[in-house]
Amino acid sequence: MRIGIVGLGLIGGSLGFDWRDRGHRLLGYSRRPATCERAIARGVVDHASPDPAVLIEAEVIVLATPLGVLETTVRELRDYWHPEAIVTDVGSVKQPIVAALEPLWPRFVGGHPMAGTAENGIEAALRGLFQNRPYVLTPTDQTDPAAIAVVAQLAQELGSVVLHCDPASHDRAVATISHLPVFISASLIQTCLQEPDPAVQTLAATLASSGFCDTSRVGGGNPELGVMMARYNQAALLEQIDRYQIQLERLKTAIAAADEPAIAAILQQNQEIRPRYL
Protein backbone atom coordinates (compact mmCIF):
# COMPACT_ATOMS: atom_id res chain seq x y z
CA MET A 1 0.00 0.00 0.00
CA ARG A 2 0.94 3.65 -0.24
CA ILE A 3 1.13 4.94 3.33
CA GLY A 4 1.58 8.59 4.24
CA ILE A 5 3.04 9.53 7.62
CA VAL A 6 2.48 13.02 8.98
CA GLY A 7 5.10 13.65 11.64
CA LEU A 8 8.45 11.91 11.33
CA GLY A 9 9.47 11.48 14.96
CA LEU A 10 9.96 8.41 17.15
CA ILE A 11 6.56 6.82 16.46
CA GLY A 12 6.06 7.97 12.88
CA GLY A 13 9.62 7.04 11.97
CA SER A 14 9.42 3.63 13.64
CA LEU A 15 6.17 2.85 11.82
CA GLY A 16 7.81 3.88 8.58
CA PHE A 17 10.77 1.55 9.14
CA ASP A 18 8.60 -1.51 9.75
CA TRP A 19 6.00 -0.95 7.05
CA ARG A 20 8.63 -0.14 4.46
CA ASP A 21 10.48 -3.33 5.39
CA ARG A 22 7.23 -5.18 4.65
CA GLY A 23 7.02 -3.84 1.11
CA HIS A 24 4.75 -0.81 1.50
CA ARG A 25 5.62 2.51 -0.12
CA LEU A 26 6.08 5.19 2.56
CA LEU A 27 5.48 8.88 1.96
CA GLY A 28 6.50 11.28 4.71
CA TYR A 29 5.47 14.82 5.54
CA SER A 30 7.21 17.17 7.95
CA ARG A 31 7.35 20.94 8.05
CA ARG A 32 11.13 20.69 8.53
CA PRO A 33 13.06 19.97 5.31
CA ALA A 34 15.99 18.64 7.35
CA THR A 35 13.72 16.05 8.99
CA CYS A 36 12.45 14.95 5.58
CA GLU A 37 16.00 14.59 4.29
CA ARG A 38 17.07 12.61 7.34
CA ALA A 39 14.03 10.31 7.12
CA ILE A 40 14.94 9.45 3.54
CA ALA A 41 18.61 8.96 4.43
CA ARG A 42 17.75 6.60 7.30
CA GLY A 43 15.42 4.54 5.12
CA VAL A 44 12.30 5.42 7.10
CA VAL A 45 10.40 6.52 3.98
CA ASP A 46 10.70 6.26 0.22
CA HIS A 47 9.99 9.94 -0.23
CA ALA A 48 9.38 12.86 2.11
CA SER A 49 8.70 16.54 1.67
CA PRO A 50 7.57 19.68 3.53
CA ASP A 51 5.05 20.06 0.69
CA PRO A 52 1.77 18.38 1.77
CA ALA A 53 1.13 17.43 -1.86
CA VAL A 54 3.46 14.48 -1.14
CA LEU A 55 0.44 12.81 0.49
CA ILE A 56 -1.88 12.95 -2.53
CA GLU A 57 -1.27 9.33 -3.56
CA ALA A 58 -1.49 7.84 -0.06
CA GLU A 59 -4.19 5.24 0.53
CA VAL A 60 -3.64 5.36 4.30
CA ILE A 61 -2.50 8.42 6.23
CA VAL A 62 -1.08 8.09 9.74
CA LEU A 63 -1.12 11.19 11.93
CA ALA A 64 1.93 10.98 14.19
CA THR A 65 1.96 14.58 15.40
CA PRO A 66 1.55 15.75 19.02
CA LEU A 67 -1.99 15.57 20.38
CA GLY A 68 -2.29 19.32 20.59
CA VAL A 69 -1.99 19.89 16.85
CA LEU A 70 -3.94 16.91 15.49
CA GLU A 71 -7.15 18.77 14.74
CA THR A 72 -5.32 21.72 13.18
CA THR A 73 -3.22 19.33 11.12
CA VAL A 74 -6.28 17.60 9.67
CA ARG A 75 -7.94 20.91 8.81
CA GLU A 76 -4.78 22.17 7.10
CA LEU A 77 -3.89 19.02 5.15
CA ARG A 78 -7.15 17.23 4.30
CA ASP A 79 -7.52 19.02 0.95
CA TYR A 80 -4.33 17.22 -0.16
CA TRP A 81 -5.64 13.73 0.67
CA HIS A 82 -7.38 11.37 -1.68
CA PRO A 83 -11.13 11.45 -0.90
CA GLU A 84 -11.14 7.70 -0.18
CA ALA A 85 -8.00 7.73 1.96
CA ILE A 86 -8.14 6.04 5.37
CA VAL A 87 -6.83 8.26 8.17
CA THR A 88 -5.68 7.10 11.59
CA ASP A 89 -3.70 8.59 14.45
CA VAL A 90 -1.30 7.33 17.12
CA GLY A 91 -2.36 9.56 20.02
CA SER A 92 -2.26 8.31 23.61
CA VAL A 93 -5.67 9.86 24.39
CA LYS A 94 -8.66 8.88 22.30
CA GLN A 95 -12.02 10.26 23.44
CA PRO A 96 -11.46 13.97 22.68
CA ILE A 97 -9.36 13.19 19.61
CA VAL A 98 -11.91 10.85 18.05
CA ALA A 99 -14.69 13.34 18.82
CA ALA A 100 -12.74 16.10 17.09
CA LEU A 101 -11.44 14.21 14.05
CA GLU A 102 -14.31 11.89 13.18
CA PRO A 103 -16.50 14.74 11.85
CA LEU A 104 -13.56 16.05 9.79
CA TRP A 105 -12.84 12.85 7.85
CA PRO A 106 -15.37 10.09 7.09
CA ARG A 107 -12.79 7.27 7.07
CA PHE A 108 -11.02 8.08 10.34
CA VAL A 109 -10.00 5.29 12.73
CA GLY A 110 -8.67 6.15 16.18
CA GLY A 111 -5.47 4.27 17.00
CA HIS A 112 -2.81 3.99 19.70
CA PRO A 113 0.32 1.86 19.29
CA MET A 114 1.46 1.41 22.88
CA ALA A 115 5.22 1.56 22.62
CA GLY A 116 7.88 4.21 22.98
CA THR A 117 11.16 5.28 24.50
CA ALA A 118 12.38 8.30 26.45
CA GLU A 119 13.88 9.69 23.22
CA ASN A 120 12.14 11.63 20.47
CA GLY A 121 12.73 12.82 16.93
CA ILE A 122 13.64 11.05 13.72
CA GLU A 123 16.98 9.85 15.13
CA ALA A 124 15.10 7.94 17.84
CA ALA A 125 13.10 5.84 15.32
CA LEU A 126 13.64 2.10 15.74
CA ARG A 127 12.81 -1.07 13.87
CA GLY A 128 10.66 -3.56 15.79
CA LEU A 129 9.43 -1.00 18.34
CA PHE A 130 5.86 -2.35 18.17
CA GLN A 131 6.64 -6.07 18.19
CA ASN A 132 4.43 -7.88 20.72
CA ARG A 133 3.07 -4.57 21.99
CA PRO A 134 -0.64 -3.63 22.13
CA TYR A 135 -1.98 -1.60 19.24
CA VAL A 136 -5.40 -0.27 20.26
CA LEU A 137 -8.10 0.73 17.80
CA THR A 138 -11.03 2.77 19.10
CA PRO A 139 -13.79 2.70 16.47
CA THR A 140 -17.23 4.13 17.07
CA ASP A 141 -20.61 3.32 15.54
CA GLN A 142 -19.76 5.77 12.75
CA THR A 143 -16.41 4.21 11.80
CA ASP A 144 -16.17 2.57 8.37
CA PRO A 145 -15.71 -1.21 8.95
CA ALA A 146 -13.50 -1.52 5.87
CA ALA A 147 -11.22 1.21 7.21
CA ILE A 148 -10.98 -0.56 10.56
CA ALA A 149 -9.97 -3.78 8.82
CA VAL A 150 -7.18 -2.06 6.86
CA VAL A 151 -5.68 -0.34 9.92
CA ALA A 152 -5.93 -3.58 11.91
CA GLN A 153 -4.09 -5.46 9.16
CA LEU A 154 -1.30 -2.87 9.09
CA ALA A 155 -1.00 -3.06 12.87
CA GLN A 156 -0.77 -6.85 12.73
CA GLU A 157 2.05 -6.57 10.20
CA LEU A 158 4.06 -4.73 12.85
CA GLY A 159 3.83 -7.82 15.08
CA SER A 160 1.52 -5.92 17.42
CA VAL A 161 -1.34 -7.37 19.44
CA VAL A 162 -4.40 -5.60 18.02
CA LEU A 163 -7.14 -4.68 20.48
CA HIS A 164 -10.48 -2.90 20.02
CA CYS A 165 -12.29 -0.81 22.62
CA ASP A 166 -14.37 2.34 22.85
CA PRO A 167 -12.49 5.66 23.24
CA ALA A 168 -13.66 6.34 26.82
CA SER A 169 -12.61 2.91 28.10
CA HIS A 170 -9.23 3.35 26.43
CA ASP A 171 -8.64 6.65 28.21
CA ARG A 172 -9.55 5.26 31.62
CA ALA A 173 -7.27 2.27 31.11
CA VAL A 174 -4.26 4.26 29.92
CA ALA A 175 -4.74 6.75 32.75
CA THR A 176 -4.01 3.83 35.08
CA ILE A 177 -1.11 2.08 33.38
CA SER A 178 0.48 4.81 31.27
CA HIS A 179 -0.39 8.37 32.28
CA LEU A 180 -0.41 7.92 36.07
CA PRO A 181 3.07 6.27 36.01
CA VAL A 182 4.45 9.30 34.16
CA PHE A 183 3.37 11.62 36.96
CA ILE A 184 4.37 9.23 39.75
CA SER A 185 7.79 8.94 38.12
CA ALA A 186 7.99 12.71 37.69
CA SER A 187 7.15 13.15 41.39
CA LEU A 188 9.90 10.70 42.33
CA ILE A 189 12.50 12.76 40.47
CA GLN A 190 11.16 15.95 42.04
CA THR A 191 11.37 14.33 45.49
CA CYS A 192 15.08 13.63 44.92
CA LEU A 193 15.58 17.32 44.21
CA GLN A 194 14.04 18.21 47.58
CA GLU A 195 16.87 16.59 49.57
CA PRO A 196 18.17 19.57 51.59
CA ASP A 197 21.75 18.33 52.03
CA PRO A 198 23.68 18.83 48.76
CA ALA A 199 26.20 16.16 49.74
CA VAL A 200 23.45 13.59 50.29
CA GLN A 201 21.75 14.58 47.04
CA THR A 202 25.05 14.07 45.20
CA LEU A 203 25.58 10.72 46.92
CA ALA A 204 22.07 9.60 45.99
CA ALA A 205 22.72 10.47 42.35
CA THR A 206 25.97 8.49 42.46
CA LEU A 207 24.31 5.45 44.03
CA ALA A 208 21.28 5.42 41.73
CA SER A 209 21.18 2.17 39.76
CA SER A 210 18.74 -0.03 37.85
CA GLY A 211 15.83 0.37 40.25
CA PHE A 212 15.89 4.15 40.01
CA CYS A 213 16.50 3.93 36.27
CA ASP A 214 13.38 1.80 35.80
CA THR A 215 11.10 3.87 38.02
CA SER A 216 12.27 7.28 36.76
CA ARG A 217 12.37 6.58 33.02
CA VAL A 218 8.90 7.72 32.03
CA GLY A 219 9.03 10.75 34.32
CA GLY A 220 12.21 11.90 32.63
CA GLY A 221 10.90 11.63 29.09
CA ASN A 222 9.45 14.12 26.62
CA PRO A 223 7.78 16.93 28.64
CA GLU A 224 5.33 17.71 25.83
CA LEU A 225 3.83 14.22 26.06
CA GLY A 226 3.13 14.62 29.77
CA VAL A 227 1.53 18.02 29.28
CA MET A 228 -0.75 16.60 26.57
CA MET A 229 -1.74 13.69 28.84
CA ALA A 230 -2.70 16.15 31.57
CA ARG A 231 -4.65 18.34 29.16
CA TYR A 232 -6.55 15.75 27.15
CA ASN A 233 -7.07 13.03 29.76
CA GLN A 234 -7.48 15.27 32.78
CA ALA A 235 -10.57 13.72 34.37
CA ALA A 236 -9.39 10.10 34.17
CA LEU A 237 -5.88 11.05 35.28
CA LEU A 238 -7.11 12.97 38.32
CA GLU A 239 -9.31 10.03 39.30
CA GLN A 240 -6.30 7.70 39.22
CA ILE A 241 -4.10 10.16 41.13
CA ASP A 242 -6.72 10.23 43.89
CA ARG A 243 -6.66 6.43 44.07
CA TYR A 244 -2.88 6.40 44.11
CA GLN A 245 -2.76 8.89 46.98
CA ILE A 246 -5.09 6.65 49.00
CA GLN A 247 -2.75 3.71 48.51
CA LEU A 248 0.32 5.79 49.35
CA GLU A 249 -1.35 6.95 52.57
CA ARG A 250 -2.22 3.35 53.35
CA LEU A 251 1.44 2.37 53.09
CA LYS A 252 2.56 5.46 54.99
CA THR A 253 0.21 4.60 57.87
CA ALA A 254 1.51 1.03 58.02
CA ILE A 255 5.13 2.18 57.98
CA ALA A 256 4.52 4.79 60.70
CA ALA A 257 2.87 2.15 62.87
CA ALA A 258 5.68 -0.35 62.19
CA ASP A 259 2.90 -2.69 61.05
CA GLU A 260 5.12 -5.15 59.23
CA PRO A 261 2.37 -7.74 58.62
CA ALA A 262 0.29 -5.09 56.83
CA ILE A 263 3.28 -3.99 54.77
CA ALA A 264 4.13 -7.59 53.93
CA ALA A 265 0.53 -8.32 52.92
CA ILE A 266 0.50 -5.40 50.46
CA LEU A 267 3.86 -6.34 48.96
CA GLN A 268 2.89 -10.01 48.74
CA GLN A 269 -0.27 -9.12 46.84
CA ASN A 270 1.77 -6.88 44.53
CA GLN A 271 4.23 -9.70 43.83
CA GLU A 272 1.38 -12.00 42.83
CA ILE A 273 -0.56 -9.45 40.76
CA ARG A 274 2.23 -7.64 38.89
CA PRO A 275 2.77 -10.34 36.20
CA ARG A 276 -0.81 -9.76 35.06
CA TYR A 277 0.26 -6.31 33.82
CA LEU A 278 3.45 -7.37 32.05
Side-chain angles (χ1 to χ4, degrees):
M1 298 189 74
R2 297 182 298 277
I3 303 173
I5 298 184
V6 179
L8 296 169
L10 167 66
I11 300 300
S14 298
L15 289 169
F17 264 142
D18 286 352
W19 282 330
R20 191 164 183 255
D21 287 348
R22 285 155 180 78
H24 299 291
R25 177 168 171 78
L26 271 296
L27 307 169
Y29 169 79
S30 172
R31 295 180 186 276
R32 299 183 179 89
T35 299
C36 295
E37 292 170 7
R38 188 57 184 149
I40 295 170
R42 290 202 66 198
V44 168
V45 294
D46 294 281
H47 182 54
S49 172
D51 181 352
V54 71
L55 302 170
I56 288 175
E57 295 182 357
E59 299 165 90
V60 176
I61 293 171
V62 180
L63 305 172
T65 65
L67 287 170
V69 299
L70 275 172
E71 183 175 356
T72 300
T73 298
V74 173
R75 292 185 182 278
E76 290 179 350
L77 300 184
R78 59 183 173 176
D79 289 343
Y80 295 93
W81 301 341
H82 189 282
E84 296 299 316
I86 296 167
V87 177
T88 187
D89 75 314
V90 299
S92 66
V93 181
K94 294 271 67 83
Q95 191 170 18
I97 298 305
V98 171
L101 300 191
E102 199 169 55
L104 300 180
W105 196 259
R107 305 195 79 193
F108 174 74
V109 182
H112 181 198
M114 300 200 62
T117 71
E119 308 302 321
N120 58 78
I122 187 62
E123 297 299 339
L126 298 168
R127 283 181 166 85
L129 181 64
F130 310 100
Q131 183 75 35
N132 298 321
R133 304 302 305 161
Y135 197 122
V136 188
L137 302 183
T138 58
T140 70
D141 292 341
Q142 286 73 49
T143 309
D144 180 350
I148 299 170
V150 169
V151 178
Q153 175 61 37
L154 289 173
Q156 288 170 353
E157 290 181 19
L158 300 169
S160 298
V161 179
V162 181
L163 305 171
H164 295 72
C165 69
D166 66 271
S169 295
H170 167 277
D171 290 355
R172 290 185 63 188
V174 297
T176 305
I177 52 83
S178 179
H179 300 174
L180 176 64
V182 167
F183 290 93
I184 293 173
S185 178
S187 298
L188 170 63
I189 298 170
Q190 288 293 309
T191 300
C192 293
L193 298 179
Q194 300 307 307
E195 168 54 51
D197 186 332
V200 173
Q201 190 175 121
T202 299
L203 178 62
T206 303
L207 296 176
S209 188
S210 59
F212 186 82
C213 178
D214 291 343
T215 52
S216 65
R217 181 182 67 82
V218 293
N222 185 352
E224 185 179 14
L225 292 178
V227 172
M228 292 300 101
M229 292 171 187
R231 177 187 300 175
Y232 288 97
N233 206 20
Q234 183 189 58
L237 178 57
L238 287 174
E239 182 181 357
Q240 296 306 328
I241 289 175
D242 286 342
R243 290 175 177 162
Y244 175 73
Q245 288 178 319
I246 290 170
Q247 296 306 315
L248 193 60
E249 283 296 325
R250 179 185 173 202
L251 278 168
K252 180 180 177 181
T253 298
I255 293 168
D259 188 348
E260 294 184 5
I263 297 170
I266 293 170
L267 297 179
Q268 178 65 39
Q269 183 184 43
N270 291 350
Q271 186 181 57
E272 295 170 357
I273 294 298
R274 182 173 178 266
R276 183 187 303 176
Y277 292 85
L278 301 179

